[in-house]
Amino acid sequence: MSDLTAPDIELAAVEVIREVLTHQRRLRDGGCTGRVCLRCVRYHLDAVRGTMESGRRVEFVLPAFPTKSPNPAKVLGTLPDLAEELALRFLNTLCERIAEIYPPGAVIRICSDGRVFNDLLGVRDEDVSGYAEGINALIGRIGGPHLEQFTLDDVYRGAGHQDMRAMLSAGYAPSLEELREEVRAGGAPLSMYRGITRFMLEDLSGPSWTGTRSALQRRCRDLAYQVIQRSRAWGRLLDELFPTAVRLSIHPQPCATDKIGILLADTPDAWLTPWHGVAVETPGGYTLMKRAEAEEAGAQPVYTAGRATHYVLERADDAPTRSETGNRSRA
Ligand SMILES: [Zn+2]
């Protein structure tokens, strides 16, 4: 970009950030205003402009794509499927649009956090490895050179999986007391804690749980704190490894803070992530649903090479609203 003047670079940097913020996942009452939040643009401007002045790619770090939920009522299996593919295509397109504004382009480094906390979810390390390999294969097919994957296995090469997690926690995790205090104070930490507790309840409340409901709730609240503790450790390590990258998050974030909450699809209300659901093709386009909800709505599985990859729902009016779910027959 050496042929560009400083004002040119400034304008291009603003446009790059605006492109990202078009897909911002916002915290309710988080303080963002307008279709694209100008306070958030300003907050990230120096970092992005600095990268662009040096002519490097704009670098994003996104902890995401951990592993499939262990709950078979939500997903099709342990491997990435069309749900992941659609999200990766979406992120790839975002990078392509940035490359139109700024030719060196951008890279979104997907920092899979599956290995960071799979033991807490009851997911086997082999399944984390299989999922990560599947993500790499998808990136190879659609995302090169804009998407890359980085995992805990890349940090502690050759170490045992349990040892990797122990080293990460010992080096980077905040104390549980610190986290409890943050959650008690409300805002983004509280909403993240509630969201993770809800997912844990969904994932662990299957037939294998033999205790009482209140004991399960206690267990899930406890596990949620440990998931956040490990995620936080992973985030700190990534900050150290990629200090000039812009941090993205799949969780909504308050206005003008270090992380930008990002959607994984063009729909503003998409809360379900690819690893907690299945892709459903409807006459209005693709959407994500929990597997059981898709099947109750009459969606039919689609197979590629003998493996179900997603569902098709023939009529748009078959798509269930939350209150209707469960009343639909298998048409
Ligand atoms: Zn904002």
Side-chain angles (χ1 to χ4, degrees), residues 11-314:
L11 277 178
V14 167
E15 203 158 321
V16 165
I17 301 167
R18 290 181 70 101
E19 189 62 56
V20 175
L21 290 176
T22 306
H23 310 286
Q24 187 180 18
R25 189 193 292 276
R26 293 182 179 185
L27 193 67
R28 206 175 300 144
D29 308 323
C32 287
T33 54
R35 200 181 63 83
V36 170
C37 179
L38 293 181
R39 284 210 296 154
C40 284
V41 171
R42 235 173 280 134
Y43 187 87
H44 295 281
L45 184 57
D46 284 349
V48 172
R49 189 184 43 212
T51 300
M52 288 167 67
E53 278 165 356
S54 70
R56 284 178 290 125
R57 295 190 292 181
V58 181
E59 209 183 332
F60 297 94
V61 157
L62 174 62
F65 298 89
T67 177
K68 281 287 195 187
S69 160
N71 185 347
K74 291 166 79 176
V75 298
L76 275 163
T78 59
L79 294 173
D81 51 39
L82 189 66
E84 277 80 5
E85 180 172 341
L86 291 170
L88 292 173
R89 283 189 189 282
F90 170 77
L91 294 172
N92 187 55
T93 303
L94 176 59
C95 291
E96 283 173 350
R97 282 197 295 260
I98 291 173
E100 283 168 21
I101 302 164
Y102 171 65
V107 58
I108 296 178
R109 188 167 290 116
I110 291 160
C111 296
S112 170
D113 40 7
R115 187 80 71 208
V116 171
F117 50 62
N118 61 300
D119 57 324
L120 301 173
L121 309 182
V123 172
R124 300 178 315 154
D125 275 306
E126 302 90 279
D127 290 339
V128 174
S129 301
Y131 185 84
E133 283 162 23
I135 292 292
N136 272 338
L138 280 173
I139 287 175
R141 230 171 66 219
I142 61 169
H146 297 307
L147 304 178
E148 289 175 9
Q149 184 174 221
F150 183 82
T151 74
L152 197 57
D153 301 31
D154 297 313
V155 180
Y156 303 114
R157 281 181 192 283
H161 298 139
Q162 200 57 44
D163 290 342
M164 292 178 187
R165 288 186 283 267
M167 286 188 272
L168 174 72
S169 292
Y172 299 90
S175 72
L176 283 174
E177 292 67 38
E178 265 174 75
L179 289 180
R180 289 212 164 89
E181 214 158 287
E182 279 182 42
V183 168
R184 266 199 298 272
L190 177 63
S191 69
M192 184 169 166
Y193 164 73
R194 284 182 174 151
I196 291 173
T197 305
R198 197 177 68 237
F199 283 129
M200 305 284 320
L201 271 171
E202 282 178 5
D203 287 356
L204 300 183
S205 62
S208 59
W209 180 263
T210 53
T212 64
R213 183 77 187 164
S214 62
L216 177 64
Q217 280 167 341
R218 262 199 312 279
R219 169 116 182 96
C220 289
R221 285 197 289 264
D222 202 44
L223 285 172
Y225 271 113
Q226 294 181 59
V227 169
I228 296 172
Q229 194 178 30
R230 303 254 192 101
S231 301
R232 199 65 75 79
W234 185 228
R236 286 177 176 175
L237 174 61
L238 295 175
D239 284 345
E240 202 174 281
L241 292 174
F242 307 110
T244 59
V246 176
R247 268 293 298 274
L248 301 176
S249 170
I250 59 157
H251 302 287
Q253 302 293 326
C255 185
T257 45
D258 285 344
K259 290 183 225 167
I260 298 175
I262 186 98
L263 297 159
L264 295 178
D266 260 322
T267 43
D269 56 347
W271 167 242
L272 212 57
T273 60
W275 49 97
H276 280 113
V278 297
V280 181
E281 188 182 359
T282 74
Y286 283 102
T287 186
L288 289 179
M289 292 166 70
K290 290 174 191 164
R291 178 186 181 176
E293 288 177 0
E295 290 179 350
E296 279 160 19
Q300 298 296 319
V302 177
Y303 292 85
T304 305
R307 191 163 76 84
T309 54
H310 64 291
Y311 285 82
V312 171
L313 199 52
E314 294 297 342

